[in-house]
Amino acid sequence: MSTGVQHELPAGLLLDYREQQTIFRQFPDMKVAAGLVDRDKVLAQKPPIYTVKLSGQPENLKMVKGDADVFARVQRTLTALELAVTTLEYRKDLKKDGVLNIFAMPEFFFRPPEEPRSYPADMYKAISDVLTQTIATKKALKHWLVIPGTIMWTREEPHPAGLDEKVLVDNNTALVINGGIELGGGVKVDKLRPIKTDGMPSYRMSADEKSKPKGIKYDGEWLNQAEYFKRSGMWPNVSEHIIDFRNVRMGMEICADHNTLKAYPFVTKDIVAQLLVSCGKRLIKKYVVTTENGIFMRVDGHHGSGVRWELRVVKGYRNTNSTLTDFDRWHDTSYPDLVPTDMEAMTEPNPFVEHEIPFTEGHPLYWVPPKDANMKDWAYYKQGITFYEPREI
């Protein structure tokens, strides 16, 4: 049972029309006003400490030291979204009628810096509530589909073996929010295949002492969701990876799940867009399954060289062992013809990029590196918003 959780997180609500006009008269080059996000003010707040008391356990497990960092992440998410919306509104060369806009952020954006690097269930609910209620009720977002990265969180569940004790279960969840239609809640997609490099506490608690989260003592079982499902005899709901939005059918995968849509063709069926939210997972051609002229969109939050954000168009499929075109995309040897090609994607600007707003040092939305950050690695992180031209699908 958690105590002290506040659900009224600062929402950074979308600006009204007059405020938008004022900002963009002052900043015609689309750089947002410096006062739009006051991160120092957000971080200066002194929220309560959150703890989770496990049933039948004598000790409290400290999950999150404070939620000031959460405030900053929520504020930054909504302000970046607002900047994207307002940019399309005032850049007449970008705005198109009858377009579904997709705003996607990388995996692990919502993850606490303190051990055990996972939010408690009540904090997950607070984050998801404020994002969903803000985005889903704004008329300006009527034709927007918003994926604010993923949220790392831990829930308490009955023991899968029926024992009289609880277990902790890690989750990596993406919200998929239909904007502007007054939803009661957003659709959620859970990562099916956690891997050790995710750094989940469930993996580290069972590792050697050097790898365990510092200061965390827990003698019960701490599982990832895939292991909990397996031991409970449950099967994950693959259909949650399919998103039907205003008669547009899309599929979504989180990082290591990038083969789920192809593995379950009877669930996936005909999708016109395939979205990959990741931290280090690249596009794998044999797992692309959109219909002809569909799009593949990836947003990757991992540092390092190479393409991290991309939009590719699927012109068709061929057999990897021949030059036959019009090949069955569900076949094990199917191979998509992509535009741009792999070589073009690595060596040339993406032809579908219409506009970019980089968040460089000094920009109010630039995420300042922590004091202990490796600056060489930090320099590889891409920060900003990329606008791709609309595609008819």
Side-chain angles (χ1 to χ4, degrees), residues 22-48:
T22 300
I23 286 178
F24 285 93
R25 275 198 301 268
Q26 296 174 348
F27 299 89
D29 61 350
M30 294 300 122
K31 289 184 178 178
V32 69
L36 198 57
V37 177
D38 189 342
R39 186 166 180 265
D40 290 338
K41 181 179 179 180
V42 171
L43 292 176
Q45 299 188 45
K46 300 184 183 301

Side-chain angles (χ1 to χ4, degrees), residues 75-104:
Q75 192 83 322
R76 188 169 189 261
T77 297
L78 294 174
T79 306
L81 174 60
E82 181 170 51
L83 178 57
V85 173
T86 315
T87 298
L88 289 183
E89 181 67 27
Y90 285 89
R91 284 286 297 263
K92 301 302 181 184
D93 57 320
L94 299 179
K95 186 179 179 182
K96 307 288 192 303
D97 293 328
V99 170
L100 167 62
N101 299 290
I102 300 174
F103 181 92

Side-chain angles (χ1 to χ4, degrees), residues 56-308:
Q57 298 292 332
E59 295 183 11
N60 279 357
L61 176 65
K62 187 178 293 184
M63 299 292 287
V64 181
K65 284 204 247 181
D67 58 9
D69 183 75
V70 171
F71 289 174
R73 292 173 191 270
V74 169
Q75 192 83 322
R76 188 169 189 261
T77 297
L78 294 174
T79 306
L81 174 60
E82 181 170 51
L83 178 57
V85 173
T86 315
T87 298
L88 289 183
E89 181 67 27
Y90 285 89
R91 284 286 297 263
K92 301 302 181 184
D93 57 320
L94 299 179
K95 186 179 179 182
K96 307 288 192 303
D97 293 328
V99 170
L100 167 62
N101 299 290
I102 300 174
F103 181 92
M105 294 168 54
E107 184 183 19
F108 300 130
F109 184 81
F110 283 96
R111 186 175 197 173
E114 297 89 0
E115 291 291 4
R117 306 296 311 283
S118 182
Y119 298 114
D122 279 353
M123 182 59 82
Y124 162 75
K125 185 177 187 305
I127 295 170
S128 59
D129 282 354
V130 72
L131 291 176
T132 300
Q133 292 170 15
T134 301
I135 294 167
T137 58
K138 297 303 171 188
K139 292 182 180 179
L141 296 173
K142 183 177 180 181
H143 300 293
W144 287 74
L145 188 73
V146 180
I147 305 167
T150 68
I151 307 172
M152 281 286 294
W153 62 290
T154 300
R155 71 183 192 271
E156 193 178 58
E157 292 285 357
H159 197 283
L163 302 179
D164 189 22
E165 60 185 63
K166 300 289 185 179
V167 297
L168 293 182
V169 182
D170 286 334
N171 305 263
N172 188 3
T173 302
L175 301 176
V176 183
I177 307 171
N178 300 344
I181 59 172
E182 299 183 358
L183 281 179
V187 177
K188 73 180 184 71
V189 178
D190 288 313
K191 187 173 182 177
L192 301 178
R193 298 177 183 85
I195 55 179
K196 289 186 178 181
T197 53
D198 287 350
M200 285 185 166
S202 51
Y203 277 122
R204 293 182 291 144
M205 289 297 289
S206 60
D208 59 81
E209 290 298 323
K210 291 183 179 179
S211 302
K212 287 186 177 181
K214 295 179 181 179
I216 302 300
K217 295 181 179 180
Y218 177 59
D219 295 328
E221 291 198 78
W222 199 330
L223 311 173
N224 64 64
Q225 179 151 281
E227 179 66 18
Y228 180 73
F229 278 0
K230 179 180 178 180
R231 290 171 57 175
S232 300
M234 297 189 294
W235 193 255
N237 182 13
V238 179
S239 63
E240 71 178 12
H241 289 252
I242 304 301
I243 305 158
D244 285 302
F245 183 80
R246 302 184 185 277
N247 298 318
V248 177
R249 186 176 179 85
M250 295 169 282
M252 180 179 163
E253 296 165 312
I254 302 174
C255 206
D257 289 349
H258 182 31
N259 74 343
T260 301
L261 296 176
K262 186 162 186 174
Y264 297 91
F266 57 91
V267 175
T268 304
K269 300 179 182 177
D270 290 340
I271 57 172
V272 296
Q274 185 169 349
L275 314 177
L276 177 60
V277 174
S278 67
C279 183
K281 190 69 173 181
R282 299 179 184 273
L283 180 157
I284 299 177
K285 287 185 175 180
K286 65 181 179 179
Y287 297 147
V288 175
V289 291
T290 74
T291 54
E292 187 174 337
N293 292 317
I295 64 170
F296 184 97
M297 180 178 176
R298 177 174 72 111
V299 55
D300 188 339
H302 197 271
H303 67 79
S305 58
V307 178
R308 293 298 171 189

